[in-house]
Amino acid sequence: MASRIRQPKTTGTYVRRGLVIAYLFLLVVWPVSLVVQHTFSGGLDNLQTALSDPDVVFALQLTVYVAVWAVVINTIFGVGVSLLLVRYDFPGRGILSALIDLPLSVSPIVVGLALLLAYGGNNGLLGPTLQDAGLQVAFAPLGIIMATAFVSLPLVIRELVPVLQEIGTDQEQAARSLGAGPWQTFRRITLPSVKWALLYGVVLSLARSLGEFGAVKIMSGNIAGQTQTATLSVEEKYQDFQQGTAYATSFLLALIAVAALVVVSVLRPKENPDGD
Amino acid sequence: MGIEIRGINKFFGDFVALENINLSIPSGQLTALLGPSGGGKSTLLRIIAGLESSDSGTVEIEGVDTTNVPAQKRNVGFVFQHYAAFKHMTVAKNIAFGLEIRKRPKDEVKDRVQELLKLVHLEQWSDRLPSQLSGGQRQRMALARALAIEPNVLLLDEPFGALDAKVRKELRDWLRRLHDEMHVTTVFVTHDQEEALEVSDSLVVINEGRIEQIGSPDDLYDRPASDFVLSFLGPVTRLGDHLIRPHDIEISRYEQAATATGRITRWTRVGFEIRLEVTPDDKLHPDPVHVVVTRAEATALGLHEGDQVWLRPQAGVEPVRA
């Protein structure tokens, strides 16, 4: 990267570097490593106990199911909204752009309550109607997916928008002049140009979706074996004096998220091959 | 035939980009749209390509009304100033793009790509990515890509604008030779009058959304229809009441019938030519007159800075009244 500053190393350089490392170590590395350490304090016992508990297995499966759906929805929606925001000018564009960030700034608990008010089965605004139509939203996987999709909504969009702005419209116009229709242009030109940003957004969404707690807790009802996701299970097991299982489940959650990030950073080309 | 443009108007809000443009571009010629930046020439080119829509008027390409035909169905080759290379595709894939969209058989695509790679001298580069090419190579690739679809017309928007002077000159010559071989109707936009004069068969000068003059390079240079065309196509200076090109002034150290007389107050040598400034004695026209002579002429005439000189238009030159 040409943007890095190259200058002689002084004492200040090492002090600054040391501060950053200490900060990251104390805040992130050390606490997380403790979870790993506690997971394996009795060898593989904790993991085995956790994975033989049907509620934990169900919770992990539900979490993956919910996360995958939330990511699929956010990817499709995210690509659409990003194109809308970058390529088109329309009244209310600024407001929409600001609204996209709302899920990041509002507490997930508020999101959960808001969704419950709208889609609650008994006294929600739309819930009873949907329930009559046979569609259970609150305290069901559908509601959990909604809550999860809500909180991870901006991640794909925030990755895509700057890249779409940077690549501009020249390539798309060239494709059109060469005979490509809108869909062909999107698939052959736009999508390949933004694929790394999209993949990164998807991984961030996935990590965020796996870890969502607050909104899901309100919206799911937190019933073990039915609507309890992995994060909710961790809390319950921890308070239930089954710390070993809680650590093991936490470890698995973290493992999936870290694995996804590692895969992407390995796949991602080191130098930007796009050049100029 | 060729391109027929009738009554084109284009507004961007209150700004008039193009005002009632009527223009016939004959088949098989190389036509330059020349004018200052923001004058509307690129907008006109983009309207021909269908990348921009006009607010009124019609465009006909080879006898077919294409006003409401979308860009992808016009069969127009378009070359962009900044290449618009497909960055994630190799050179060969870039060139093949239009043919693959048209679902041509694989063998045919391969042969055609090879042919075009040869034409633009990029045979050894076919498996490289655009980022591994120089600017000039990228633009040649973009040209091959546009030619691959056998376009009815080839449109180039400031094609050499982003290249350095030497490469620009090479590509310019090369485009002229290519056109002489291919004879595809070609329109290119430029703000560089030298480029336009050198390459094109005919010139359209556009300024502030209107056509100032249409004609051959000689017509425009020798018989400009307006002060604007005169001054845009080359350097201009004021001699008495008239506008004239600095190299069309006859300069002498000896008294003669003259339009103006004065002292050489500035002497700049640029390569083979010498640029002089003569400050007239006439108090009514005190602005310095610019005169260009070759080094050999200056020696033959015995000119030196500070000399008193007499100036008049050279025989056969008709200066334009200012």
Side-chain angles (χ1 to χ4, degrees), chain B residues 20 72 135 183 253 272:
Chain B
N20 194 27
Q72 66 261 33
H183 292 297
R253 277 175 59 220
F272 64 89

Side-chain angles (χ1 to χ4, degrees), chain A residues 5-54:
Chain A
I5 300 168
R6 283 181 200 281
Q7 56 186 30
K9 293 186 179 73
T10 61
T11 328
T13 316
Y14 294 107
V15 170
R16 280 193 296 272
R17 219 178 265 179
L19 276 174
V20 172
I21 291 170
Y23 177 80
L24 284 176
F25 180 80
L26 289 173
L27 197 66
V28 182
V29 180
W30 182 53
V32 173
S33 70
L34 285 179
V35 171
V36 180
Q37 193 191 330
H38 277 76
T39 304
F40 294 103
S41 58
L44 292 175
D45 284 0
N46 284 336
L47 270 177
Q48 272 162 358
T49 317
L51 289 175
S52 57
D53 183 334

Side-chain angles (χ1 to χ4, degrees), chain A residues 13 75 107 154 163 226 229 232:
Chain A
T13 316
T75 304
S107 164
V163 179
Q226 285 180 39
T229 62
L232 303 180

Side-chain angles (χ1 to χ4, degrees), chain A residues 166-167 169-182 184-185 188-190 192-193 195 273-276, chain B residues 46 50-51 71-72 76 78 80 82 84-89 94 97-98 100-103 129 131 138 145-146 149:
Chain A
E166 196 200 314
I167 61 169
T169 54
D170 269 13
Q171 292 184 59
E172 290 167 15
Q173 289 184 351
R176 274 175 61 205
S177 78
L178 290 167
Q184 283 170 315
T185 305
R188 285 168 178 260
I189 304 300
T190 315
S193 307
K195 68 178 174 194
D274 297 355
D276 145 51
Chain B
R46 293 170 61 81
L51 296 173
Q72 66 261 33
V76 159
F78 201 96
F80 296 78
H82 297 287
F86 301 144
K87 291 172 183 169
H88 57 288
M89 295 182 193
N94 263 275
F97 186 85
E100 284 177 354
I101 289 287
R102 282 165 178 71
K103 300 210 162 45
L129 288 172
S131 57
R138 273 184 235 184
R145 183 176 70 181
I149 61 171

Side-chain angles (χ1 to χ4, degrees), chain A residues 98-112:
Chain A
L99 215 59
I100 298 291
D101 283 335
L102 197 67
L104 278 183
S105 44
V106 171
S107 164
I109 292 280
V110 178
V111 173

